[in-house]
Amino acid sequence: MPKLKAKVRKRLQEGCVIPAHPLALDRNRKLDERRQRALTRYYLSAGSGGVAVGVHTTQFEIRDKEVGLLRPVLELAAETSREFEGRGKPPVIRTAGICGQTAQATAEAKLAVDLGYDAGLLSLGAMAKAPVAKLLEHARAVAEVIPVFGFYLQPSVGGRILPYEFWREFAEIENVVAIKMAPFNRYQTLDVVRAVAEAGRLNDIALYTGNDDNILLDLVNVYRFDEKHKKQEARITGGLLGHWAVWTRRAIEHLHEAHRVVSQKLPIPIPYLRLSNQVTDANAAFFDTANSFAGCIAGIHEVLRRQRLLEGIWCLNPKEGLSRGQSEEIDRVYAAYPHLNDDPFVEQHLDSWLR
């Protein structure tokens, strides 16, 4: 059973920005290796603690036999991140998306381990109707192969509602090292945090936000479930988000501010609350919430195209693209919140990333 390296575990526990890595394609919808590497360099140069590859933002179709991009894309990110580490940089937390029924999931986990990945973000989308006991059995099987990054995905984009009892038992799996909470629901987020706390695993399992509608507030919130044990407080220390695949330099700044507020036990500043709402508004434009997330991947691509990191917004599925009015919404948030973009940072380093 592979374990996290001590330095990787420490960085994961402390909390960092982990962008969900997009897929760079050329106009023929073939992998653009040069720009794929450039994206990884962008995220790590911006200060991200890691990357998540082979996840929804990378497009699940990379697993299709006729596409065959799962291994090449994982390899590119692993190689590029090792190149970054080789320059004396901190360890990169390499997380691979793990999908499918148990046979597929364990095979993907083995591939990820072979390629040098630290953890697997476990999607349960393929087991939407499986009973809780089967889900736990599945998670334990994957955890035997790779340290597991749990994932609570909202039902509107392929997830399912999972009861507290699932998370309570899931938190007891020895090789679970983190959980990304993305139900976009306060009640369900509380279920996960409480389950980890009551399992006594707060020092073992890092809590990460994936709640695009509540990113910054998640990072300064505090949870205490038993007033008699006031020292047992839970916090969400980082995030693994598709939203952080754009304007990433600013995301790192926002996380550092959250950590400052928490470490100094400060009241949440009013400007931070204002910033939180602005980030959520920008997310609505990028992820196309007006159209039930139909243009979420294309929206991320469009921002990266405007920054010249991507040549176009092409997806593997030709039917995927921007929704009507989505480009105008991105125009709006660009104009309304110029302090949120990191265009000058990207412009300064783009040529070196595209080398």
Side-chain angles (χ1 to χ4, degrees):
M1 181 188 294
K3 301 290 186 179
L4 281 184
K5 298 184 180 98
K7 289 183 179 179
V8 172
R9 179 180 285 276
K10 183 174 184 291
R11 196 169 196 200
L12 183 67
Q13 285 283 348
E14 288 172 348
C16 56
V17 165
I18 302 180
H21 205 304
L23 180 67
L25 299 176
D26 62 23
R27 61 185 63 254
N28 297 313
R29 302 185 195 274
K30 301 298 183 182
L31 178 63
D32 185 333
E33 291 191 11
R34 176 167 163 260
R35 292 184 182 274
Q36 190 71 18
R37 288 187 186 275
L39 287 175
T40 306
R41 291 174 180 139
Y42 162 45
Y43 300 135
L44 299 180
S45 298
S48 297
V51 287
V53 189
V55 295
H56 176 257
T57 309
T58 324
Q59 302 176 49
F60 290 135
E61 291 90 344
I62 63 173
R63 293 167 170 81
D64 293 351
K65 287 184 178 179
E66 62 272 20
V67 175
L69 284 180
L70 178 61
R71 185 185 188 102
V73 168
L74 288 175
E75 282 181 325
L76 280 173
E79 290 170 4
T80 308
S81 60
R82 280 195 291 269
E83 168 196 280
F84 179 83
E85 289 173 325
R87 300 201 301 270
K89 301 295 185 180
V92 175
I93 304 165
R94 285 177 278 270
T95 303
I98 305 296
C99 298
Q101 300 286 338
T102 304
Q104 176 184 338
T106 53
E108 290 189 5
K110 185 179 186 306
L111 172 64
V113 169
D114 291 345
L115 294 176
Y117 279 77
D118 302 292
L121 184 70
L122 184 59
S123 170
L124 299 174
M127 306 184 72
K129 296 182 180 179
V132 164
K134 185 70 173 176
L135 293 179
L136 291 166
E137 179 184 316
H138 175 76
R140 292 187 187 103
V142 175
E144 287 291 325
V145 182
I146 193 170
V148 166
F149 207 127
F151 186 13
Y152 198 167
L153 178 64
Q154 59 163 320
S156 63
V157 289
R160 58 179 280 183
I161 294 174
L162 293 162
Y164 168 82
E165 291 74 18
F166 167 81
W167 292 109
R168 181 64 178 77
E169 289 196 51
F170 183 84
E172 293 185 357
I173 298 173
E174 179 186 351
N175 215 18
V176 170
V177 295
I179 299 175
K180 166 182 171 171
M181 292 159 286
F184 292 21
N185 181 292
R186 293 296 89 203
Y187 302 115
Q188 291 156 12
T189 297
L190 275 165
D191 279 348
V192 179
V193 180
R194 182 166 68 92
V196 174
E198 294 187 354
R201 299 292 308 281
L202 289 175
N203 293 325
D204 304 315
I205 297 176
L207 297 174
Y208 273 58
T209 184
N211 288 317
D212 290 44
D213 60 345
N214 206 62
I215 298 169
L216 296 193
L217 291 185
D218 270 354
L219 296 172
V220 293
N221 219 326
V222 60
Y223 301 85
R224 186 191 296 157
F225 299 101
D226 185 347
E227 286 296 322
K228 292 181 292 185
H229 299 88
K230 294 187 177 182
K231 291 184 179 180
Q232 192 183 37
E233 291 187 343
R235 290 191 181 273
I236 297 169
T237 58
L240 193 165
L241 294 140
H243 179 84
W244 281 351
V246 297
W247 298 356
T248 310
R249 182 71 167 182
R250 295 291 174 254
I252 276 91
E253 293 171 0
H254 300 161
L255 179 65
H256 288 170
E257 174 62 9
H259 285 178
R260 184 187 73 85
V261 169
V262 169
S263 65
Q264 297 180 18
K265 295 181 168 50
L266 300 174
I268 301 173
I270 294 298
Y272 186 90
L273 296 174
R274 186 183 306 121
L275 183 68
S276 173
N277 289 330
Q278 294 170 348
V279 169
T280 300
D281 193 18
N283 179 269
F286 302 160
F287 275 72
D288 194 27
T289 59
N291 295 286
S292 301
F293 306 97
C296 62
I297 293 176
I300 292 295
H301 287 188
E302 172 61 13
V303 179
L304 295 171
R305 185 198 64 79
R306 294 181 186 205
Q307 294 182 308
R308 297 192 299 120
L309 278 156
L310 291 184
E311 186 182 2
I313 67 168
W314 305 292
C315 297
L316 289 169
N317 181 352
K319 294 181 180 179
E320 284 202 40
L322 295 175
S323 293
R324 179 174 298 185
Q326 189 178 358
S327 181
E328 290 77 10
E329 274 295 284
I330 294 172
D331 290 341
R332 179 183 67 79
V333 298
Y334 246 109
Y337 315 124
H339 54 288
L340 292 186
N341 79 64
D342 63 356
D343 290 6
F345 172 73
V346 173
E347 182 65 28
Q348 180 183 356
H349 298 284
L350 183 61
D351 288 344
S352 66
W353 296 335
L354 285 169
R355 67 182 185 277

